[in-house]
Amino acid sequence: MTDLLYSEEEEALRAAVRDLLADHCDAPGVIARTESDTPYDPAAWKALTEGMGLAGLLVPEELGGQGASHREVAVVLEELGRAVAPVPYLTSAVVATEALLACGDGQLLGKLASGRTVGALAVGLHVAPGGEFQAVRVEDGRLHGELTGIADAVAADVLLVPGDDGGLYAVEAGAVTVTPQVSFDLTRPLATVTLDGAPGRRVGDAEPAVRRALRAGAGLLASEQFGVAEWALTETVRYLKERKQFNRPVGGFQAVKHRLAQLWLEVVNLRAAARGAADALASGGDAEVSVAVAQAYAGPVAVHAAEEALQLHAGIGMTWEHPIHLYLKRAKADSIAFGTAGAHRESLAELVDLQAP
């Protein structure tokens, strides 16, 4: 039987990442970054990657990585979700890395594992693991086309671009035009990537690489969503213990207790679903089903938790100075990343041969 409880090593990793993020990604700092031209936090990224080696968790040791598993990555993503950290971890250390692992490109994997090079898979963030993705035209080794909705393209040094010849190409960011799009989640901005005869190096076949990358991205996104939801619940409970109305704590009112109890149940179930997906990806079990279950559940729960936090913080929750809006935007954006909950329910029904009524 699978053990979904956190190991001592995973809890030690969590404590280390949480301490680091407390120093680098405090709420006022993250809000200030979203108002600037550079939403990313290079100091936090450097501390996570060069300081702790976290960008290479999924990369084998012989290629310069840590040789860890998706379970450890899930713990890191829980903490990044709790801090809505503006770093390209999910896109570079998970999605782009998984695509390269499928291709077996050790040279580029080593660079991504060090964290000094940031990679991004040039597939729209909304594309589900089994969904159709755009490819660009390949002529004489040069790439032509436009791709939209690419997460963290602004921070990337190298882009992994699917070509219409079935290949996946590594393209230097300097060879393409990256135009920021208006993004709902300011901590994970989207961009349009325009390729006008950009030179590319074929690293492998696009179809299996993109499928593997999106499946891992969807499965581990659930851990980030759990981090967002857990922060929302914890902060709301803390606030309602302090906030008084009619000379008693607001958290003592029966109706509020019921809402919090319901939310607690949802968040605990989300943790189980997210752990299940991470463990299935790590063990090579029936990952498709576990990922679909996690994503069918995670989006609505994270959004509900952030909405409840916003409402139960009352007036202060509506202000720009309070970080709740960052969590609500991340939860809403995550709910359509790598496919909607509805899309995952449909794919789950097919996977387990459960016909619609």
Side-chain angles (χ1 to χ4, degrees):
M1 186 179 166
T2 303
D3 183 3
L4 297 184
L5 297 174
Y6 300 101
S7 67
E8 283 183 24
E9 291 81 5
E10 287 166 354
E11 289 293 6
L13 174 62
R14 175 194 309 289
V17 174
R18 189 174 295 190
D19 284 350
L20 187 151
L21 293 173
D23 292 339
H24 286 280
C25 293
D26 62 314
V30 175
I31 292 170
R33 284 208 162 273
T34 63
E35 295 171 331
S36 71
D37 295 334
T38 51
Y40 289 104
D41 190 335
W45 178 247
K46 191 172 181 180
L48 286 164
T49 57
E50 292 181 33
M52 295 182 69
L54 298 182
L57 285 180
L58 292 176
V59 179
E61 289 182 43
E62 61 269 21
L63 296 177
Q66 306 298 320
S69 79
H70 299 79
R71 286 177 64 117
E72 287 80 11
V73 174
V75 170
V76 174
L77 280 166
E78 285 178 21
E79 292 307 311
L80 292 175
R82 281 177 63 93
V84 283
V87 291
Y89 190 83
L90 181 69
T91 42
S92 183
V94 177
V95 178
T97 296
E98 284 277 352
L100 289 171
L101 284 167
C103 297
D105 191 289
Q107 178 193 353
L108 198 45
L109 272 169
K111 290 181 178 177
L112 258 60
S114 73
R116 293 188 189 95
T117 297
V118 174
L121 181 66
V123 170
L125 185 61
H126 62 283
V127 179
E132 289 184 16
F133 54 89
Q134 273 183 293
V136 299
R137 199 171 82 253
V138 182
E139 274 181 23
D140 304 324
R142 294 192 171 265
L143 283 64
H144 306 260
E146 186 176 272
L147 301 163
T148 58
I150 311 302
D152 294 337
V154 207
D157 302 299
V158 62
L159 293 153
L160 302 175
V161 184
D164 62 359
D165 62 348
L168 187 68
Y169 290 84
V171 181
E172 296 295 324
V176 304
T177 307
V178 177
T179 313
Q181 294 176 237
V182 177
S183 306
F184 187 61
D185 176 8
L186 299 170
T187 60
R188 181 176 285 145
L190 307 178
T192 297
V193 176
T194 308
L195 301 101
D196 190 7
R201 178 175 69 84
R202 185 175 174 135
V203 292
D205 295 335
E207 184 74 24
V210 171
R211 294 282 167 252
R212 174 171 170 172
L214 296 184
R215 188 182 65 178
L220 291 168
L221 177 70
S223 291
E224 177 183 292
Q225 290 167 301
F226 166 64
V228 168
E230 190 188 37
W231 178 91
L233 176 62
T234 305
E235 280 301 301
T236 304
V237 169
R238 187 182 63 76
Y239 175 75
L240 293 177
K241 284 179 179 176
E242 296 170 1
R243 171 82 172 148
K244 287 192 168 63
Q245 230 171 17
F246 308 113
N247 211 27
R248 59 183 282 199
V250 175
F253 290 98
Q254 196 69 23
V256 175
K257 283 181 179 178
H258 284 169
R259 286 171 71 169
L260 291 172
Q262 175 61 36
L263 192 56
W264 181 83
L265 281 172
E266 291 178 15
V267 172
V268 169
N269 287 337
L270 170 52
R271 176 167 55 198
R275 291 296 289 168
D279 187 75
L281 287 166
S283 63
D286 197 353
E288 285 191 357
V289 169
S290 298
V291 168
V293 167
Q295 274 308 316
Y297 191 72
V301 170
V303 170
H304 182 218
E307 286 176 343
E308 288 287 74
L310 183 72
Q311 289 184 13
L312 293 171
H313 273 77
I316 194 174
M318 298 288 180
T319 63
W320 185 259
E321 289 73 25
H322 199 287
I324 287 179
H325 63 94
L326 296 175
Y327 290 85
L328 180 56
K329 289 168 187 167
R330 174 64 71 91
K332 291 289 274 187
D334 281 357
S335 71
I336 55 172
F338 303 114
T340 61
H344 285 283
R345 278 195 290 271
E346 283 180 23
S347 66
L348 180 62
E350 285 179 24
L351 287 166
V352 298
D353 200 25
L354 183 67
Q355 300 304 315

